[in-house]
Amino acid sequence: MFIKNALTESIKMLAERTGVVIPVYFPPAVDSSLSEHLVMDNLSLLLREISSPTHIVLSLDGEENGLDIVQRIAVATGVSYCVGKVNRGKFQGIVHGAAHLLQNCDLEYLAVVDSDGDHFGNELLNFIRCSRHMAEQTGNKENLVIGRRISKHRPMGFLRGELEELADRILLDALNYHAVIQGKPLHWEYCNALEEYPDFHSGYKLFTKKLAEKILLGEHFRAGVSEDCYYRHAMEAVMSVEALENGGLIGCVNRSTFNEQPMTTFGSIGREQFIADKIIWPCKRLSIPFSFVEQWFTNHAHRLLMHTMQPYGRDELNGIKKILYREFGAEDVWQPLSQQPLFV
């Protein structure tokens, strides 16, 4: 398993052959001072690891959402930036940033890092080492490495931690179902040592360059969902699913988080739609029959601790379930969660 000189070569790959996309968004109506500070924190750590500041790009989603801030940061740090004229969502920011960086033929890896200050550049070396290890062992040089949060509840809070677990578990079911239909078993051995399911919705990811080009610069599959679903809510699932659909492998490495995220917009968005969309897009993209989606939801909803919060937890889950029924055209047969074990 140990490869001679692997560490030295990985350090060089990170320093010289890795690009980083940081999607950013500074809404005009919100005090952006904390957001700007957190972006600078992100960059401070990344610039210690990446030799050329221009291999890091701030990708602004909508020119009215902080162009002056992005330009100020770029002047201060030497990083590059690009701007999407219209605000569309985080995935658009990632796509534009990738298009900007992947013109550089010297790059071999592309990292996608959230701008909230909770993704530490000094840990990116482990992503490179994991990617190279997977390629060495399997012969498949195209892969995605996900930075797995050791705890979801502590950085994100109890509610979001529970709901992301629900979305992750259903996504794993959907991928395994699709693999059976396709007759192509999936490789989870580079994830399973850490947890029962990959942390698909983590905002810290590393792609090999060719896989990034296929996913981000190739054809995009909306699967009939809304733009908000695809570009804002389900974008982490999009990158995970398309990595597998394009022949890549997925691996996971542990990463640190703050005990409490410095900043989050989770409480200000429609939570039920936000989580439902993380389920809707991949299940439609993979052509999953709704009867399976429905049963998977029931299977995993009852294992969540939030189900014990009466009545609030169950009400939240039923709200998500109702959206799933509506989006899959089964609203007329919707029923609230009821079936559950008698004893635990």
Side-chain angles (χ1 to χ4, degrees):
M1 294 180 65
F2 181 79
I3 307 171
K4 187 178 180 181
N5 298 325
L7 176 57
T8 301
E9 292 173 10
S10 294
I11 292 171
K12 186 175 181 179
M13 284 291 178
L14 174 58
E16 300 177 6
R17 309 290 288 275
T18 301
V20 181
V21 176
I22 305 177
V24 291
Y25 168 69
F26 304 96
V30 177
D31 181 3
S32 61
S33 56
L34 175 59
S35 300
E36 184 175 352
H37 175 77
L38 293 173
V39 171
M40 289 297 294
D41 276 0
N42 267 16
L43 290 174
S44 296
L45 287 174
L46 286 166
L47 288 167
R48 291 176 55 189
E49 310 296 328
I50 307 291
S51 296
S52 173
T54 59
H55 286 178
I56 303 171
V57 60
L58 301 178
S59 183
L60 182 65
D61 187 28
E63 58 187 10
E64 75 282 5
N65 294 313
L67 179 57
D68 57 331
I69 299 172
V70 168
Q71 290 174 330
R72 182 165 62 244
I73 294 173
V75 169
T77 62
V79 302
S80 54
Y81 70 92
C82 61
V83 182
K85 291 185 177 181
V86 179
N87 174 255
R88 203 175 185 185
K90 176 182 169 182
F91 189 58
Q92 175 177 254
I94 293 170
V95 168
H96 285 170
H100 179 88
L101 283 180
L102 291 176
Q103 300 173 38
N104 185 338
C105 60
D106 291 334
L107 296 180
E108 290 197 24
Y109 297 96
L110 183 79
V112 176
V113 182
D114 279 354
S115 63
D116 59 6
D118 201 30
H119 305 71
F120 309 128
N122 57 298
E123 295 184 340
L124 189 52
L125 177 61
N126 284 342
F127 291 62
I128 300 286
R129 296 181 72 183
C130 177
S131 176
R132 298 184 71 236
H133 171 77
M134 291 164 62
E136 178 74 20
Q137 285 205 332
T138 65
N140 184 350
K141 297 183 178 181
E142 306 310 323
N143 57 61
L144 160 64
V145 178
I146 298 173
R148 178 244 179 192
R149 295 162 288 192
I150 298 170
S151 168
K152 297 180 184 66
H153 294 79
R154 288 189 177 275
M156 297 190 294
F158 177 76
L159 178 59
R160 185 172 176 186
E162 292 285 283
L163 293 177
E164 285 212 0
E165 177 179 336
L166 174 67
D168 281 338
R169 288 186 180 276
I170 292 176
L171 178 50
L172 180 59
D173 285 339
L175 288 167
N176 284 328
Y177 175 100
H178 182 68
V180 171
I181 297 299
Q182 297 295 311
K184 297 178 180 179
L186 294 175
H187 293 259
W188 297 120
E189 61 266 39
Y190 297 102
C191 304
N192 283 346
L194 303 181
E195 202 165 17
E196 293 177 34
Y197 54 92
D199 188 4
F200 293 113
H201 292 92
S202 166
Y204 203 167
K205 291 181 167 69
L206 176 80
F207 298 90
T208 51
K209 180 182 179 180
K210 288 183 179 179
L211 188 61
E213 288 174 333
K214 292 176 184 177
I215 295 169
L216 302 175
L217 307 187
E219 184 178 359
H220 292 171
F221 297 92
R222 282 264 303 276
V225 303
S226 69
E227 282 205 353
D228 278 355
C229 174
Y230 186 76
Y231 287 100
R232 299 184 191 279
H233 301 159
M235 68 282 170
E236 303 295 352
V238 170
M239 291 185 281
S240 298
V241 170
E242 299 299 358
L244 295 171
E245 286 294 279
N246 283 279
L249 299 174
I250 291 182
C252 295
V253 296
N254 283 331
R255 70 173 177 91
S256 303
T257 63
F258 284 113
N259 192 43
E260 182 179 349
Q261 279 186 334
M263 179 182 66
T264 178
T265 58
F266 182 66
S268 64
I269 60 179
R271 290 194 306 267
E272 293 174 3
Q273 187 70 55
F274 178 64
I275 297 299
D277 282 345
K278 293 175 182 290
I279 298 169
I280 291 164
W281 177 83
C283 288
K284 289 196 171 186
R285 170 71 174 93
L286 299 173
S287 301
I288 307 297
F290 181 63
S291 59
F292 282 81
V293 181
E294 176 188 31
Q295 188 59 54
W296 293 336
F297 186 91
T298 301
N299 293 347
H300 298 308
H302 289 290
R303 74 192 300 163
L304 300 176
L305 291 177
M306 70 175 288
H307 194 270
T308 67
M309 298 173 62
Q310 298 295 347
Y312 176 75
R314 186 174 295 181
D315 288 347
E316 185 100 4
L317 289 168
N318 276 324
I320 297 168
K321 185 181 180 186
K322 184 172 284 189
I323 292 171
L324 295 178
Y325 272 71
R326 183 190 71 213
E327 294 296 326
F328 281 89
E331 197 169 12
D332 57 332
V333 295
W334 177 82
Q335 291 184 344
L337 289 165
S338 58
Q339 296 173 309
Q340 61 182 358
L342 179 60
F343 301 112
V344 293

